[in-house]
Each structure stands twice: as C-alpha cells, then as structure tokens.
C-alpha cells in the first residue's frame, strides 16, 4: 500500500516539541536532565489535579522516549472510526480475562505515596491515524480489582477513564458522556481487534510526508482492515463499509481447541437475527506481534 503524501496524527506532539525546543536552547540531548526539570515543574503546579495531569503527560513522553510504546499506524481512517463507533462492548468480562492472561504484569508505586504499590496489567499504545489532526496515546490498565482504567494523552489534554465512568457514560446523552464512552470502547476494541486478526498487522512505518520533531523509538506496526469485518461485496473498496458486531473471548470448555481465542461476532439480518463468527486464519502470527 502506497501511503506517500498521507498526513498522520502525531501522538504526544506537544511534549516532543518541548523536548526538541529544549535541546536547541540548551545544546543538549540529555533526556534525563530534561525529564528531571520538567518533573519538578509538574510538581510545582498549584493544584494536585494540575500536578497529576502534567506528570502523566511527561511520563507518557518519557516512556515513548525509552521505546516502551507500541506505535500503531492505521492504514485506513475508517478502521479507526469503526473501532470507536461501530463495535459494541458486549463481552467486556471475557476480554478482561484474556488481557489478564496475555498482558504485561507490572508492579508500580503510587506517584504521590511511594509506600503504596499495586500490581496491574498494562498495554501502552501510541496511534498514528491518516488525516487526523489530534494525536492520541493511551495506557490500558487492568487493575488489581479486575477493573479497567484507560490513561490517555490527546495533544495537550490528558486524563483517565475508569470502567465505572464508562458504565455511567453509556446512559448519558451529552457530548462529554459520548466522548468517555467512545474512547473507552476504542481502547478495548483495538486490543481485541489486533488479537483477533493478527494477519492485519505488519511491521514498520508507512511512507508519508509527515514532518516531525522526533523519530519513534518503540516498535512500529501498520494496522490494516480485515476482510472479515467488511460487508459482503465491499472487499477492496476504497472506503469500506464495515459490519457491526462485537469481540468475544472464548472462555468456556465447550470450545475445546479454540478456547482462549478472541473472535469477532458480526450480526446480520436474514429473515430474523443471525450471528456469524469470524477469527484469524493465521493464529501463528500472534506471538510475533505481542504488544506491551
């Protein structure tokens, strides 16, 4: 696929620009020194909320500098929109079980009370989406109480969405509630999609004319659209129309050989409601593209 000329969103853009400007002013490439200075500034903010927001944005940048983020380059913006808006979260508990087994189990101390530590599962993702202005990066965490928290940085905005907030947001009709629901749903669906269709993941960065102040240090993968989420007859279309459905992890002993795999359940009306199950034809690729 030739992506020459496509503009991609740049995650953590503002922090990378701050670091770039600092290196020019100070004639130094010492990222550790920059981090220390910026961290002291973050803790000098007048309120704890502002301190936490500044520290979160800085910590995201530092993880990215150290190559800890997986950079995901969407080959079609339609796939990004699809995972945000069209795929329901009907099987959240089964997806959590899968992520608990397959994620990175970490121990971390609380930022403001080092005497407190907790264990959790985390996935760090930085997104590059065609024709999207705002950059987006998030840290998906499965917490010790088996609830999900999504920490995110969206250009200059940072925040977090806990599973309890998502549940409340589903019943809200205002734009803020819709944004909470959409962003939480996207984080879960992206991880499920990559596990369900690993053949859609390819190593490397697309050729584009982006001008950035940095080069991504972490792993880079391109993410394409599986034909199995397209409507019949739309395969290969320039702007594919995708089929609504949801992801599910097969956890019952009934499934025997397929137990533990994530599938995509698409719904179709044919003289009543029927469901078609889709999954990867190339499960051997999963280990090659495990993300952190």
């Amino acid at each position: 696929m030739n992506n020459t000329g496509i503009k991609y969103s740049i995650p953590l853009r503002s922090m990378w620009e701050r670091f770039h400007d600092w290196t020019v002013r100070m004639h130094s490439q010492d990222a550790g020194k920059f981090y220390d200075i910026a961290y002291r500034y973050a803790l000098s903010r007048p309120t704890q909320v502002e301190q936490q927001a500044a520290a979160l944005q800085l910590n995201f940048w530092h993880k990215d500098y150290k190559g800890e983020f997986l950079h995901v380059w969407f080959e079609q913006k339609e796939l990004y929109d699809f995972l945000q808006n069209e795929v329901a979260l009907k099987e959240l508990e089964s997806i959590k079980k899968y992520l608990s087994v397959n994620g990175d189990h970490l121990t971390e101390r609380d930022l403001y009370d080092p005497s407190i530590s907790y264990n959790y599962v985390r996935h760090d993702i930085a997104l590059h989406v065609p024709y999207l202005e705002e950059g987006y990066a998030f840290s998906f965490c499965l917490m010790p109480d088996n609830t999900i928290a999504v920490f995110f940085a969206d250009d200059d905005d940072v925040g977090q969405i806990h599973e309890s907030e998502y549940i409340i947001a589903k019943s809200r009709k205002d734009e803020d509630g819709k944004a909470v629901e959409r962003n939480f749903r996207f984080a879960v669906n992206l991880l499920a999609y990559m596990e369900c269709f690993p053949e859609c993941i390819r190593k490397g960065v697309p050729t584009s004319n982006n001008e950035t102040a940095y080069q991504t240090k972490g792993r880079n993968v391109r993410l394409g659209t599986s034909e199995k989420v397209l409507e019949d007859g739309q395969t290969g279309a320039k702007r594919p129309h995708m089929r609504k459905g949801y992801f599910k992890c097969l956890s019952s002993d009934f499934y025997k050989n397929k137990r533990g795999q994530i599938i995509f359940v698409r719904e179709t009306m044919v003289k009543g409601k029927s469901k078609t199950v889709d999954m990867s034809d190339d499960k051997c690729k999963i280990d090659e593209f495990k993300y952190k």
Side-chain angles (χ1 to χ4, degrees), residues 94 248-252 255 258-263 277 279:
S94 69
K248 175 180 181 178
C249 179
L250 301 178
S251 56
S252 170
Y255 298 106
K258 295 181 180 179
R259 185 183 180 196
Q261 296 183 18
I262 290 182
I263 62 172
V277 173
M279 61 195 305

Side-chain angles (χ1 to χ4, degrees), residues 139-283:
S139 185
F140 177 101
C141 298
L142 187 61
M143 307 303 286
D145 62 356
N146 201 43
T147 60
I148 292 173
V150 178
F151 301 85
F152 65 88
D154 185 351
D155 278 353
D156 286 326
D157 189 22
V158 297
Q160 70 180 68
I161 303 171
H162 188 267
E163 183 179 335
S164 59
E165 296 175 85
Y166 162 73
I167 294 172
I168 294 172
K170 288 197 297 182
S171 62
R172 293 170 57 180
K173 303 299 182 183
D174 60 292
E175 288 304 315
D176 288 343
K178 291 178 181 178
V180 167
E181 181 183 4
R182 183 170 59 247
N183 289 331
F184 185 91
R185 183 171 57 230
F186 171 79
V188 177
N189 283 335
L190 175 61
L191 296 175
Y193 178 88
M194 293 176 72
E195 289 292 348
C196 187
F197 303 117
E199 67 274 14
C200 294
I201 305 171
R202 295 188 293 161
K203 292 180 180 178
V205 178
T207 302
S208 76
N209 64 353
N210 258 12
E211 295 181 3
T212 67
Y214 76 103
Q215 293 182 345
T216 55
K217 295 175 178 290
R219 287 167 300 152
N220 290 271
V221 297
R222 291 170 285 173
L223 186 62
T225 302
S226 172
E227 294 181 359
K228 294 181 179 180
V229 301
L230 300 178
E231 290 285 3
D232 293 339
Q234 293 296 316
T235 301
K238 186 176 180 181
R239 297 180 65 83
H241 179 69
M242 300 182 192
R243 180 172 298 192
K244 291 185 178 182
Y246 59 93
F247 292 105
K248 175 180 181 178
C249 179
L250 301 178
S251 56
S252 170
D253 291 335
F254 174 80
Y255 298 106
K256 296 181 180 178
N257 294 336
K258 295 181 180 179
R259 185 183 180 196
Q261 296 183 18
I262 290 182
I263 62 172
F264 180 66
V265 182
R266 48 195 173 105
E267 299 184 0
T268 308
M269 294 296 292
V270 183
K271 295 182 180 180
K273 191 173 183 179
S274 64
K275 296 181 179 180
T276 302
V277 173
D278 282 318
M279 61 195 305
S280 173
D281 294 325
D282 191 5
K283 299 307 288 183

